[in-house]
Amino acid sequence: MKVKSGWMIWALLSFVSVTVFAQQYPAVVGDKYVNRLPARLAKLNGKSAVVVNAGENGKVVGLKSGVKADPSGPATLTFNVKIPAKGWYELSTFAVPELEGAPATAAHVKIQIGSHRPTKRILFDAYHGNRQVSGKFEMEAGEQSIKIWLPDGVRLAWIEWKNANDPAIPEKAQRYEPRITPPAGHPRIWTTAQQLPVIKERLTQGENKVAWEKVRAAAISPFPFEFDPQEEIFYREDVEKAVETKAFYYLMTGDKAVGREAAKLMQDYLSVLEFGNVTYGDITREIGRSIYVTALVYDWCFDLLGKSELENLRFHMLRLARDMEIGWPPFMDSIINGHGNEAQISRDLLAMSIALYDEDPLPYKYTSYTVLEVLVPMRKFEYESPRHNQGVDYGAYRLMWEMHAVWLFYRMTGHPVFDDNIKHLPYYWLYMRLPDGYMLRDGDMFSVKGGGNAPLYWKQPMAMLLGYAYANDPLLKAEFQRQGGLPDNPVLFLLVNDPALKADHDLTKLPLTKDFGKVLGGVVARTGWNNKPESNDVIAEIKGGGYHFANHQHADAGALQIYHHGIQVGDIGLYLSYGTPYDFNFNKRSIAHSMMLAMDPQEKLRFRTKLQDGGARFNQRFPQSPAETTTDPWFDNGKVMSAAFGPSAQKPAFSYFKADLTGAYSSKIAQYARGFLFLNLFREDVPAVIILTDDMSTADPSFKKYWQINTLHQPQTDGDTWVLHNALNGAEGKTHVQMLLPAAADRKLEVLGGPDANSTFGNRFEVKSTKPEASAFRMLVSPAASHPRDRFLTVFQMAEGDAKPLPVQFAEKDGMYQLIVADRVVCMSAGAADVEKPFTVEVPAGAQWQVVLAGLKPGFWNIRQEGGGMDVNMDVVAGNNTVHFTAGAGKYRVTPTRAYHAKDVE
């Protein structure tokens, strides 16, 4: 709140020996300057106020019995304070409900400092209860009166003033000299004088024409904005959209009348805009939007603004910045993760600092340091894996804001400052897309809250717009169009869209399998790209290995997902609210995912968790740099051992992945590796088969192990093969689950459904949602006897409707699992480590067979058919660890050597 017109001193304030004095009450002096003023010592309105005893809260002031709150009448009570130095101060209040145990409904208080405009602040609510921070106020030196009008039903115990210290500025930021600076002159937000003609030329070309006509119609229409200078208003999106549209129109056409209207509308709006002390609903996003639009007016209408107008816009941007979650200077939160990795710096404060650079370079110094020296190197490292660690929803949302920083620097300088790997990141969302319109689950999915039981088509079109336009990518532009475009933001569309780039909807140009690398390990394998409800495609994902980045990322190393006419195997947690007992003890935890658990009764609980789930370590501390990520064991999420697919890179017959997941768990796990082989059979009846291997050793044999998969509908478990099912668009898919190890006599199966599924080993959670995940099923297989080491080998066959599963032949010898299914012969390492000893592959009689050998140590291997025939050397590459060939009937000896007379296969 501005309580004195004029220039706002926003730089770090140094309060030396500052205290605040009030009548009959001494200040408390310490590291911070605090002055708590009891309400009972204030000057009371004898007609309306009364002092009463509130038990442990002491004497408080409330309205007399029968007196109703009257904000337009005399104040209920008045404090007098003496301010010895001009500066920013924080006001807090402590209030109690008149009736003990009354519902915590929001109650607002009217406050007036001196003769300045009164302000409305929250005095009591369900979020912060008794104690509320009313806000930061710029105070003049000297005596000030603080008038308060109390609401009904709430009594005031005290108010408290203290100096509002700015966030600490990192030493590196203090010494920072930006290597990249804004060019002289305006505009320089989203465009410069050099690029402006190109944007103007595109306005009436192709798809831009419709957007431009929409902008023009809105810009030339007067926008009525009636306000009372003595009454503050809350955020109004319609006003800000009108300002942005008119400022853009002036930038494109030079129409001064429209430009002046934008400037006046912004000045008037800011003069009464007040967010108060609202904190719920992530209000910092709305505060940031107001700063951003102000920056656009400052930059795009610069030549229409007088000195006092520019100063006023600058004052309000910096005033609002103080109330953002990241604070001002912007160092209260990290830009790497959390809300600091959203619009606050990457769009709002960066745009502000670019606009202000000539008149005040300090804001740009701080924001450019945070983006260029902190965010850019971290993302260069993270995006080596082309997926987002915050998952489908938060990943897209935060990338959307990151792309604002990408674009603002690129347009300002003409050169990229982010690594080019950010151009490939959006393909993650293409691979996660499902034929039902939604996505494979990853991280906290806030989009699941919408749509009820109706099919939900997942979309984040702004992220796709900024991504395809920056990468000049026709496939990503097609995804933007499938998501419905961005009709509500034609200005942003016109700023970046090149109508000459034609969308390409042919996703079959993409390989069916995507390996996500080693920073954030995982593989998505598909049988096709038919993303329509009638699709018969199978889509599967395995994840694990790399690093853990916390926040909305789940403890899901090794998690399996399978889609076929709906989710067959997957995650059953729902993101309903952050940090609730259900969220931290079920939704984000391993138990809600299809992965291995091991129960250590003494395992240490971490970060606000109350229950042991047997899963991977739950982590809510995120790394701040590549060096910290790779050197601090806290972030170890296992290691990718292998990721391979072939023989066709475009339509692979097999996709193999293996990860050592030991590091993802606590020391209860001595060794654990999970292997995954996806076989695309190119058949109608059984399109795909998955072979899953698990080899887990615990530090104590008594730590019970659980092999777990979660599914949405009750499974059939009355035979040797369990059957999962789901249906979409009238077609049903069944997943036949055959566990080969442990044998049936050596294992126990438990199926938990409904309320029992939403539990952490007996501790139930009530999940209020109509989504199928809220009443799902968990299948848990545990060994019948305790062993230090247990292995699991499972075959999943995804079949159309009532199609019969294919016969599976299985044998284990020479440290290898050998399986025969359809036209495939598969050998996989039977242990956690890669195979390094000779073994024999037996190919049955019949037509030619596709043979896959997976889990081989790197180096040359010789494959020789007994009795003559094949005799070849194959070089197994580290990280691939596979061999694929076509063979007829016979025995094949596979040896880790390079035979002299054999043919080298390149």
Side-chain angles (χ1 to χ4, degrees):
M1 174 185 175
K2 180 183 177 184
V3 298
K4 183 180 187 304
S5 60
W7 191 255
M8 182 182 81
I9 300 178
W10 64 270
L12 184 64
L13 301 174
S14 175
F15 295 99
V16 182
S17 301
V18 175
T19 54
V20 182
F21 298 95
Q23 68 271 15
Q24 304 178 38
Y25 197 77
V28 178
V29 180
D31 292 337
K32 295 183 178 179
Y33 304 102
V34 180
N35 190 8
R36 183 172 295 181
L37 312 174
R40 61 184 173 82
L41 298 182
K43 180 181 178 182
L44 305 184
N45 181 335
K47 293 183 179 181
S48 61
V50 64
V51 177
V52 297
N53 197 319
E56 64 181 17
N57 292 310
K59 293 183 177 181
V60 297
V61 174
L63 295 174
K64 287 182 175 181
S65 178
V67 175
K68 300 296 291 181
D70 182 12
S72 62
T76 313
L77 64 166
T78 304
F79 296 89
N80 289 313
V81 295
K82 187 176 182 181
I83 308 295
K86 179 181 178 181
W88 284 87
Y89 293 83
E90 182 178 282
L91 173 63
S92 299
T93 61
F94 189 92
V96 294
E98 186 175 321
L99 298 176
E100 187 175 349
T105 55
H108 293 81
V109 62
K110 177 181 173 182
I111 301 172
Q112 184 176 23
I113 300 175
S115 59
H116 300 288
R117 184 176 65 209
T119 183
K120 180 182 176 182
R121 303 292 164 128
I122 297 171
L123 183 64
F124 186 88
D125 67 4
Y127 294 91
H128 299 293
N130 303 89
R131 182 157 188 167
Q132 302 280 337
V133 176
S134 301
K136 300 181 180 73
F137 301 86
E138 188 182 22
M139 306 288 283
E140 288 295 310
E143 194 160 298
Q144 301 273 357
S145 66
I146 314 298
K147 295 179 180 179
I148 291 180
W149 286 258
L150 289 178
D152 294 324
V154 180
R155 293 165 171 166
L156 182 67
W158 45 257
I159 68 171
E160 181 178 278
W161 288 95
K162 65 179 182 180
N163 54 299
N165 293 317
D166 293 332
I169 303 170
E171 184 180 345
K172 289 183 179 179
Q174 295 179 43
R175 295 183 284 125
Y176 185 60
E177 294 293 336
R179 51 190 167 83
I180 298 171
T181 56
H186 299 271
R188 53 191 181 214
I189 298 176
W190 288 110
T191 186
T192 62
Q194 291 73 31
Q195 296 147 346
L196 193 55
V198 176
I199 298 174
K200 289 181 178 180
E201 185 180 0
R202 291 174 176 172
L203 291 176
T204 56
Q205 296 176 359
E207 65 236 359
N208 284 16
K209 184 177 181 180
V210 174
W212 174 241
E213 289 302 320
K214 186 175 183 178
V215 167
R216 182 180 179 279
I220 63 177
S221 299
F223 186 90
F225 178 58
E226 296 180 359
F227 67 99
D228 180 349
Q230 293 305 310
E231 294 288 336
E232 56 189 31
I233 68 168
F234 197 58
Y235 169 76
R236 278 186 53 179
E237 186 177 8
D238 62 333
V239 176
E240 294 182 4
K241 280 191 172 182
V243 170
E244 180 180 12
T245 301
K246 292 175 183 294
F248 177 73
Y249 187 78
Y250 170 67
L251 181 66
M252 294 296 109
T253 66
D255 187 325
K256 291 185 178 181
V258 174
R260 280 303 310 168
E261 186 184 359
K264 184 178 186 306
L265 187 54
M266 196 75 233
Q267 300 276 358
D268 291 344
Y269 175 62
L270 289 171
S271 72
V272 290
L273 174 64
E274 181 56 66
F275 289 89
N277 58 337
V278 172
T279 58
Y280 52 82
D282 295 326
I283 195 65
T284 198
R285 293 167 180 163
E286 283 71 31
I287 297 173
R289 168 77 184 179
S290 300
I291 294 171
Y292 171 67
V293 175
T294 306
L296 296 183
V297 172
Y298 191 104
D299 184 55
W300 292 351
C301 303
F302 186 85
D303 59 342
L304 295 179
L305 300 171
K307 182 179 179 182
S308 63
E309 291 176 307
L310 292 170
E311 289 180 349
N312 192 47
L313 293 179
R314 179 186 177 204
F315 168 83
H316 283 292
M317 284 190 279
L318 290 162
R319 165 180 76 88
L320 292 169
R322 284 180 170 275
D323 289 330
M324 296 182 81
E325 195 174 336
I326 205 162
W328 187 261
F331 299 111
M332 201 163 312
D333 284 337
S334 170
I335 196 174
I336 296 299
N337 209 335
H339 289 176
N341 181 228
E342 294 179 359
Q344 292 184 78
I345 291 182
S346 291
R347 183 193 65 177
D348 306 330
L349 298 180
L350 181 58
M352 177 191 81
S353 70
I354 292 171
L356 295 178
Y357 182 73
D358 290 341
E359 294 75 34
D360 188 352
L362 200 57
Y364 181 78
K365 173 180 177 177
Y366 293 150
T367 55
S368 65
Y369 166 80
T370 308
V371 174
L372 299 177
E373 306 304 323
V374 181
L375 183 64
V376 168
M378 189 62 174
R379 293 302 186 253
K380 179 179 181 180
F381 165 75
E382 287 177 278
Y383 296 161
E384 288 176 18
S385 280
R387 68 183 299 159
H388 204 289
N389 59 58
Q390 295 299 286
V392 168
D393 279 356
Y394 277 97
Y397 182 74
R398 290 179 177 171
L399 176 66
M400 172 176 78
W401 300 122
E402 226 161 74
M403 289 303 300
H404 279 74
V406 170
W407 271 100
L408 290 173
F409 275 107
Y410 178 62
R411 279 283 176 83
M412 185 182 82
T413 65
H415 303 285
V417 299
F418 282 75
D419 191 90
D420 273 356
N421 59 21
I422 202 170
K423 295 179 179 179
H424 310 298
L425 192 67
Y427 280 92
Y428 160 60
W429 287 275
L430 297 186
Y431 277 92
M432 298 294 278
R433 172 74 71 184
L434 300 175
D436 64 2
Y438 205 52
M439 295 282 195
L440 287 170
R441 283 41 165 177
D442 191 8
D444 286 336
M445 304 282 282
F446 58 73
S447 58
V448 81
K449 297 177 185 178
N453 286 317
L456 174 69
Y457 192 83
W458 185 94
K459 58 179 68 177
Q460 276 286 2
M462 188 184 292
M464 294 302 124
L465 167 67
L466 296 175
Y468 85 69
Y470 185 67
N472 201 40
D473 191 313
L475 287 172
L476 296 179
K477 185 169 187 176
E479 175 63 18
F480 168 75
Q481 292 181 351
R482 287 191 293 271
Q483 292 183 20
L486 201 65
D488 294 335
N489 198 340
V491 169
L492 184 62
F493 180 74
L494 291 169
L495 282 168
V496 300
N497 181 62
D498 180 0
L501 176 67
K502 303 304 178 185
D504 185 349
H505 289 269
D506 185 8
L507 290 174
T508 63
K509 293 177 178 178
L510 296 174
L512 289 174
T513 296
K514 183 69 172 178
D515 165 28
F516 290 108
K518 295 189 175 183
V519 174
L520 206 64
V523 161
V524 171
R526 313 173 64 100
T527 60
W529 282 107
N530 182 5
N531 283 334
K532 296 180 180 179
E534 65 271 18
S535 171
N536 297 330
D537 289 349
V538 175
I539 300 102
E541 182 205 36
I542 189 74
K543 65 173 59 171
Y547 306 95
H548 201 282
F549 299 91
N551 198 211
H552 294 290
Q553 185 180 1
H554 290 188
D556 57 0
L560 173 71
Q561 294 190 79
I562 304 172
Y563 175 97
H564 185 218
H565 299 298
I567 293 292
Q568 302 277 346
V569 175
D571 307 342
I572 62 170
L574 291 170
Y575 180 59
L576 304 176
S577 182
Y578 187 89
T580 62
Y582 167 75
D583 187 45
F584 277 176
N585 292 283
F586 190 84
N587 171 52
K588 286 182 170 66
R589 303 285 289 281
S590 304
I591 201 164
H593 302 76
S594 297
M595 54 185 286
M596 288 287 298
L597 311 175
M599 282 297 293
D600 170 11
Q602 304 302 317
E603 185 173 5
K604 181 181 178 182
L605 293 173
R606 298 170 183 267
F607 191 78
R608 289 165 53 187
T609 56
K610 303 295 183 184
L611 302 173
Q612 294 173 340
D613 76 323
R617 293 178 295 117
F618 181 60
N619 172 21
Q620 284 292 289
R621 176 169 69 89
F622 57 87
Q624 300 279 353
S625 68
E628 184 183 13
T629 310
T630 56
T631 58
D632 189 337
W634 180 272
F635 307 112
D636 182 4
N637 210 35
K639 293 177 175 58
V640 176
M641 300 171 66
S642 307
F645 51 94
S648 164
Q650 200 70 12
K651 296 182 177 181
F654 77 91
S655 302
Y656 176 63
F657 180 82
K658 188 173 183 179
D660 181 342
L661 301 174
T662 309
Y665 292 76
S666 70
S667 60
K668 67 185 179 184
I669 301 298
Q671 179 70 46
Y672 172 46
R674 168 164 274 196
F676 163 94
L677 185 66
F678 182 93
L679 300 176
N680 185 351
L681 301 184
F682 303 103
R683 298 171 60 122
E684 292 292 329
D685 56 343
V686 183
V689 168
I690 293 172
I691 302 170
L692 190 70
T693 68
D694 291 282
D695 186 353
M696 176 177 279
S697 298
T698 52
D700 189 317
S702 68
F703 296 167
K704 193 170 184 179
K705 305 178 188 72
Y706 296 91
W707 179 97
Q708 176 179 270
I709 57 172
N710 300 329
T711 189
L712 299 183
H713 304 287
Q714 186 164 9
Q716 175 187 327
T717 59
D718 55 359
D720 291 337
T721 299
W722 310 316
V723 183
L724 318 178
H725 64 97
N726 210 334
L728 180 70
N729 203 46
E732 184 179 36
K734 292 182 179 178
T735 297
H736 301 266
V737 184
Q738 184 179 5
M739 182 168 279
L740 301 173
L741 292 175
D746 299 326
R747 67 182 187 241
K748 297 178 180 179
L749 170 65
E750 181 181 12
V751 179
L752 302 178
D756 288 332
N758 298 313
S759 66
T760 304
F761 289 102
N763 297 277
R764 284 188 181 184
F765 298 97
E766 182 181 1
V767 183
K768 295 181 179 179
S769 173
T770 59
K771 299 295 182 182
E773 288 87 345
S775 55
F777 292 83
R778 290 167 47 211
M779 300 177 64
L780 296 97
V781 177
S782 54
S786 298
H787 311 101
R789 180 191 183 199
D790 287 284
R791 293 178 299 139
F792 299 81
L793 174 63
T794 315
V795 178
F796 301 79
Q797 296 191 49
M798 280 58 72
E800 288 291 329
D802 293 328
K804 300 297 182 183
L806 303 170
V808 177
Q809 299 179 43
F810 165 63
E812 180 183 354
K813 61 180 181 179
D814 299 332
M816 298 292 287
Y817 299 137
Q818 180 167 316
L819 300 96
I820 300 174
V821 59
D823 60 345
R824 312 297 172 89
V825 176
V826 173
C827 286
M828 297 175 69
S829 167
D834 290 332
V835 172
E836 54 184 351
K837 294 182 179 180
F839 60 93
T840 299
V841 180
E842 297 189 24
V843 178
Q848 293 289 94
W849 297 78
Q850 294 188 51
V851 181
V852 180
L853 312 179
L856 308 183
K857 78 163 190 177
F860 278 98
W861 288 75
N862 175 253
I863 303 170
R864 183 176 58 82
Q865 185 176 6
E866 293 185 7
M870 179 182 288
D871 187 6
V872 297
N873 296 323
M874 292 190 178
D875 189 3
V876 175
V877 178
N880 182 299
N881 306 99
T882 62
V883 164
H884 178 277
F885 58 93
T886 302
K891 290 186 177 181
Y892 295 80
R893 188 63 175 168
V894 183
T895 308
T897 189
R898 187 180 190 182
Y900 177 68
H901 294 290
K903 177 184 177 183
D904 284 345
V905 177
E906 297 178 358

